[in-house]
Amino acid sequence: MRAGWKQPLHCAALCFASYVVFGVAAVGSAAAETGASPVIGDERAVRQHLDLSDLATMSVEAINAHGRMLFDAKFTTLDGAGRPAATQAEVPVKRRPGRVPALFRTSGPDSNACNGCHNQPASGGAGEFVANVFTSVGVSDAEFDTLEAQFSNERGTPHLHGSGLVELLAREMTAELRALRRDAVDQARASGQSVTVPLVAKGVDFGSLTVQPDGFVNVEQIEGIDHDLIVRPFSQKGVFTSLRQFSINAMNTHHGMQSDERWGMQWTHSADFDEDGHKQELLSGDLTAVVLFQAALPTPVQTMPEHPVLQDAVKEGADLFDQALCSQCHVKALPLKSLTFVEPGPYNAAGNLRASDRSDAVFSFQLSSAGLEQNEKGEWMVPVFSDFKRHVIADAEKSHFGNERLSQRFIPNDQFLTPRLWGVGSTAPYGHRGDVSTLREVIGHHGGQAKEARLAFEKLSDLEQRKIIQYLQSLTLTLATEIQQ
């Protein structure tokens, strides 16, 4: 870990700098930075790549700016966009022979830039219904030219603000759950008796597990999380462990930009697996920069309306939100012990950079505490409005959120990760498909394990219900230029 990275990452200054640099010129010219002669008529969107070794000599702000450039870049074929011989699968899979379109709305590539979808109210934000994507089961090599639900799941675009805090919370929760399992194994071996341990992390109940004296672990009572006890906070099903894994998958699926750390020589024995004539489309340093940009996006905030009547409604709505049992799953704030973001994370699977892969792979930086309060233990209270747990959200009476036909990573079709409501006031439309236009409608569709909360909401008066809506509308995304240090 390089000591030079142990410096505060102030989201305001850092993000504002990247807005200024790339708001004036679409892409910073590598030629200008190095003194080399410019390339006349250069149509590359990415004119400079970063390896991990390059990051050691750069400031956090410069690396973040590079990540912002990659996030906003409209990739061209000169950058390696497209994947004529590879599928959208997250593991390297060859495409069946035959001509395919350069951009393909269903199985992709389907976008030129990350901010083609993540753009409301600014880069790194959410996306409208028109920006929906179509995902297969996750490891399939299927290609499809239809929007029929039996071939894919249609998903809306969530915002990425506060993502660094999200990943840190998930890492700490994972560590707590695994420590509980480890202690149970030790106790069972020492006592010669079965040990059952409740799996509670940051106050969230994930069920329990039982360890036999011989070390066998019964996982049947684990709830809302994978049996490996890794909290996966990204994607609407909760299947991606880290921003790095999410970014590597998205770059390949949506843009045909393939990272060396998954599609390169180490895993495929090819420097150009997708056979588009371009090698080293994304280096590990590029991926670290993209992760840094997303991790540093500002924390969603509460924006109080100007009118006193609406201000009072927001305050009363916060209490009614609890009264209607909404906060049982949409936990208002979770405690975070440390703001130190270490990249790569400790739970990355193969095909994503891990600390053991290279001696210069690990970097550390501080996320901003702007918008966060501390509890009596000195922990940072992160207002995510989620429990990072999957719940059954549909039933026979309320089936809207159970309308997908394909399971993803063997997760039942009626289960979804509790959506993080911070920023919900800025990210209409709603639902995993982005096909619900109002918050009241979303609440009305709650079934399954959320039925009790829906019924509690419905018992409230119309005015009380509208106060909850007003409260949710106050949970907004904030542009980086509006953040105050």
Side-chain angles (χ1 to χ4, degrees), residues 87-294:
T87 72
Q88 83 283 6
E90 62 181 284
V91 294
V93 176
K94 285 290 187 180
R95 188 190 293 271
R96 291 186 295 272
R99 185 177 182 276
V100 294
L103 291 172
F104 208 26
R105 189 68 182 91
T106 50
S107 59
D110 54 353
S111 176
N112 300 102
C114 301
N115 75 359
C117 296
H118 295 278
N119 55 30
Q120 296 186 11
S123 187
E128 236 271 44
F129 184 82
V130 70
N132 280 6
V133 300
F134 301 87
T135 63
S136 63
V137 294
V139 295
S140 170
D141 63 345
E143 299 169 56
F144 43 92
D145 57 4
T146 173
L147 303 184
E148 290 295 324
Q150 65 262 35
F151 294 98
S152 69
N153 298 320
E154 185 176 358
R155 300 278 176 81
T157 303
H159 74 80
L160 299 171
H161 284 220
S163 289
L165 298 171
V166 169
E167 184 165 341
L168 288 184
L169 281 170
R171 293 180 188 179
E172 289 189 0
M173 295 175 83
T174 297
E176 291 178 28
L177 293 172
R178 290 191 157 192
L180 290 170
R181 182 181 62 188
R182 186 169 56 251
D183 290 345
V185 170
D186 293 342
Q187 292 176 31
R189 286 175 176 170
S191 66
Q193 298 179 344
S194 298
V195 173
T196 298
V197 58
L199 296 173
V200 179
K202 300 191 182 298
V204 178
D205 186 354
F206 291 95
S208 63
L209 58 76
T210 300
V211 182
Q212 305 294 340
D214 62 0
F216 175 79
V217 180
N218 187 328
V219 298
E220 293 180 356
Q221 301 303 314
I222 295 177
E223 300 175 358
I225 190 177
D226 293 333
H227 292 165
D228 62 5
L229 301 184
I230 294 179
V231 177
R232 294 179 166 86
F234 300 111
S235 88
Q236 301 192 47
K237 285 284 190 178
V239 299
F240 294 138
T241 303
S242 63
L243 285 168
R244 195 175 200 94
Q245 182 189 22
F246 162 77
S247 300
I248 290 174
N249 288 352
M251 284 288 189
N252 175 65
T253 298
H254 303 305
H255 314 307
M257 294 291 293
Q258 298 186 315
S259 67
D260 273 8
E261 62 192 68
R262 187 177 301 173
W263 280 270
M265 292 294 295
Q266 179 181 4
W267 299 106
T268 68
H269 303 289
S270 172
D272 182 21
F273 182 80
D274 61 351
E275 300 178 27
D276 63 357
H278 292 274
K279 304 174 182 179
Q280 297 184 320
E281 295 174 7
L282 289 171
L283 303 182
S284 289
D286 294 326
L287 264 300
T288 294
V290 169
V291 169
L292 174 55
F293 166 70
Q294 294 172 89

Side-chain angles (χ1 to χ4, degrees), residues 31-45:
E33 296 175 4
T34 62
S37 299
V39 178
I40 298 173
D42 191 354
E43 294 191 85
R44 292 174 298 167

Side-chain angles (χ1 to χ4, degrees), residues 2 80 137 149 165 187 226 249 291 330 357 372 442 451 458:
R2 295 190 177 274
V137 294
L165 298 171
Q187 292 176 31
D226 293 333
N249 288 352
V291 169
H330 296 284
D357 292 339
L372 304 180
V442 169
K451 178 179 179 179
E458 291 174 347

